[in-house]
Amino acid sequence: MKVAIMGFGVVGGGVGELLISNAENIAKKAGEKIEVKYILDLRDFPDSPYKCFTKNFEDILNDPEVEAVVEAMGGTVPAYDFTKRLLLAGKHVVSSNKELVAKHGTELLKIAKEKNINYLFEASVGGGIPIIRPLISSLTGNDISGIIGILNGTTNYILTQMIKNGKSFDEALSEAQEKGYAEKDPTADVEGIDTCRKIAILASLAHGKYVDSMNIPTEGITNITTNDAKYAQAMGYSVKLVGICETAEDGVYARVCPAFINLECPLASISDVFNGVLVQSDALGDVMFYGRGAGKLPTASAMVSDLVDVAKHINTNIRILWNESEDGYLKDSGEQKFSYYLRLSGTPDGISGKIKTIDGLSDEFAIIVDPVTEIELDEMLKSEPFAGHTVLGKLRVI
Ligand code: HSE
């Protein structure tokens, strides 16, 4: 099977590397050799073992020998236009582009179905962790009631450093950037946007109906302080940025937020750049997927597996489809009840419950409150005995 790679950065380069280093094994599994005929990139790579670079997309589009294309460009421009034209031309596309899948997945999947080809995107969520395939294949006998995912390696690294090593947010972020985990502009990571796109994809797959990431309430990790990290440790919790999707009666709730995770939950022990996804379903119960959610070869691993799947289904559309969204399908997650961690100014006199004070942190305390909706929490904080205390920190408890 002749393929092209679009975008020869970290991920595209990883796909090229894996297709050489594991060539024999991949050919055995695919039933044929997978050969790179073009690599599209505006930059030059004189030292690459590949000598098939082009700067012209039309070379790929117009070559009938190219059956599948790896899209590792990121962003939606020009990736959306290129992907759509490739699919319309009858070429399979495999992608790591969560932004594109979250925004235009409905349309691109529909074209792939109509053309009896495939648009696969295992690498778009959880990097190398198999999570898309379980949702569309291994778990289809189940009704999925919830998905909770640590889906962003950069923020998980930062939070791990804050909790385990007492680093400040800024120190941990600089370290993540030095190690090449975080982007130079880490906004999409630290503001939760990347996690939001990923949980939107998983929520859309869970029930076959599109959930628009733009409508998911999203909060990042920039307001978390070292004091919150100290209380978490002292009270037996970890702090994680999570994407949550919960099935409702006639729709789903979804949200992205930093949360206190009880140390008994398997998600609490997922540290550093690792990702983890907990899927809750009726027949199987809880199942957890864990591994490297980012990086060159882990992401390439998922993309090459998608290419192998394309080779095995060259004349068949693997059924991945979600329907258009419906008004009211994504529920107002403010209605959901959560237990909360609150860090409050003053002393806890007159307040009862799970309270914690820490030596050295004077004139403040933390409390875990029983499950309430957002409105109930606001009302509670305005009334006695909480009125008069300033909220210094507030996180949901999962
Ligand atoms: N910036 C992302 C992360 C890359 O840190 O997880 C993988 O999607």
Side-chain angles (χ1 to χ4, degrees):
M1 182 170 79
K2 294 212 173 14
V3 304
I5 300 174
M6 300 196 304
F8 207 58
V10 174
V11 174
V15 172
E17 190 178 320
L18 206 53
L19 286 174
I20 292 175
S21 62
N22 281 0
E24 208 177 309
N25 186 31
I26 292 165
K28 255 192 236 160
K29 304 225 164 104
E32 62 182 312
K33 194 165 178 275
I34 295 181
E35 196 184 312
V36 179
K37 188 162 181 192
Y38 299 99
I39 297 174
L40 179 73
D41 204 294
L42 292 175
R43 297 162 292 183
D44 294 314
F45 297 88
D47 301 329
S48 170
Y50 287 103
K51 304 294 169 209
C52 55
F53 287 89
T54 176
K55 294 182 175 30
N56 186 1
F57 167 68
E58 310 286 328
D59 288 345
I60 298 170
L61 184 70
N62 296 329
D63 187 334
E65 272 199 335
V66 174
E67 290 186 284
V69 178
V70 173
E71 188 266 295
M73 307 177 87
T76 56
V77 181
Y80 167 60
D81 178 53
F82 286 4
T83 302
K84 190 169 167 179
R85 289 166 71 192
L86 289 164
L87 292 170
L88 287 169
K91 296 184 194 299
H92 303 257
V93 176
V94 312
S95 176
S96 57
N97 191 335
K98 55 251 169 174
E99 187 178 350
L100 183 60
V101 178
K103 200 163 178 187
H104 296 290
T106 316
E107 181 191 9
L108 298 172
L109 285 166
K110 195 162 166 248
I111 298 172
K113 172 123 184 30
E114 281 162 8
K115 292 279 172 186
N116 202 30
I117 50 172
N118 290 292
Y119 180 52
L120 304 180
F121 41 85
E122 183 62 72
S124 66
V125 182
I129 305 172
I131 179 62
I132 305 287
R133 231 169 236 90
L135 287 179
I136 61 156
S137 169
S138 339
L139 297 178
T140 45
N142 287 264
D143 200 12
I144 290 170
S145 53
I147 300 174
I148 309 174
I150 296 171
L151 300 168
N152 182 270
T154 304
T155 46
N156 205 36
Y157 179 84
I158 293 171
L159 292 172
T160 305
Q161 289 304 316
M162 288 176 75
I163 298 255
K164 288 197 178 156
N165 299 329
K167 301 254 167 80
S168 70
F169 174 83
D170 289 333
E171 281 169 339
L173 173 60
S174 309
E175 211 175 278
Q177 282 171 320
E178 272 160 36
K179 288 182 186 265
Y181 301 147
E183 315 287 335
K184 273 204 190 91
D185 176 3
T187 314
D189 292 317
V190 298
E191 296 296 353
I193 300 162
D194 180 73
T195 298
C196 176
R197 290 171 180 146
K198 292 168 176 171
I199 196 68
I201 295 171
L202 299 184
S204 302
L205 289 170
H207 299 292
K209 195 163 288 194
Y210 178 60
V211 175
D212 188 343
S213 62
M214 300 301 284
N215 298 330
I216 296 180
T218 297
E219 185 190 331
I221 63 164
T222 49
N223 291 330
I224 295 180
T225 65
T226 38
N227 284 4
D228 296 317
K230 280 182 191 161
Y231 282 107
Q233 232 191 3
M235 297 172 97
Y237 294 92
S238 191
V239 183
K240 302 288 174 195
L241 180 69
V242 287
I244 309 172
C245 158
E246 195 182 314
T247 306
E249 204 169 301
D250 49 358
V252 291
Y253 293 109
R255 129 171 346 265
V256 173
C257 60
F260 263 37
I261 310 264
N262 195 303
L263 290 181
E264 280 166 22
C265 172
L267 288 168
S269 56
I270 293 171
S271 299
D272 297 320
V273 283
F274 281 84
N275 283 195
V277 191
L278 183 68
V279 180
Q280 298 158 325
S281 59
D282 56 356
L284 176 61
D286 287 1
V287 59
M288 171 116 149
F289 301 86
Y290 165 80
R292 292 179 196 279
K296 186 180 183 176
L297 291 179
T299 310
S301 152
M303 297 196 93
V304 171
S305 308
D306 277 350
L307 277 181
V308 170
D309 230 8
V310 165
K312 289 178 3 193
H313 298 90
I314 203 77
N315 295 314
T316 317
N317 173 258
I318 301 167
R319 196 180 155 74
I320 313 178
L321 216 50
W322 57 60
N323 297 327
E324 305 275 344
S325 193
E326 263 172 35
D327 279 352
Y329 179 66
L330 180 63
K331 303 275 162 209
D332 174 5
S333 53
E335 294 166 358
Q336 270 184 301
K337 289 193 184 227
F338 284 97
S339 180
Y340 282 86
Y341 147 84
L342 300 171
R343 185 159 67 85
L344 300 171
S345 64
T347 54
D349 305 335
I351 298 180
S352 56
K354 290 176 212 155
I355 290 171
K356 188 81 197 168
T357 51
I358 293 182
D359 287 348
L361 296 184
S362 59
D363 208 29
E364 63 169 75
F365 65 98
I367 180 167
I368 305 287
V369 299
D370 290 339
V372 280
T373 64
E374 280 173 17
I375 292 174
E376 286 167 346
L377 182 69
D378 287 346
E379 278 167 7
M380 193 187 96
L381 287 169
K382 278 187 226 144
S383 55
E384 289 304 326
F386 292 98
H389 294 274
T390 305
V391 178
L392 306 171
K394 180 177 92 177
L395 293 172
R396 287 173 183 77
V397 179
I398 306 284

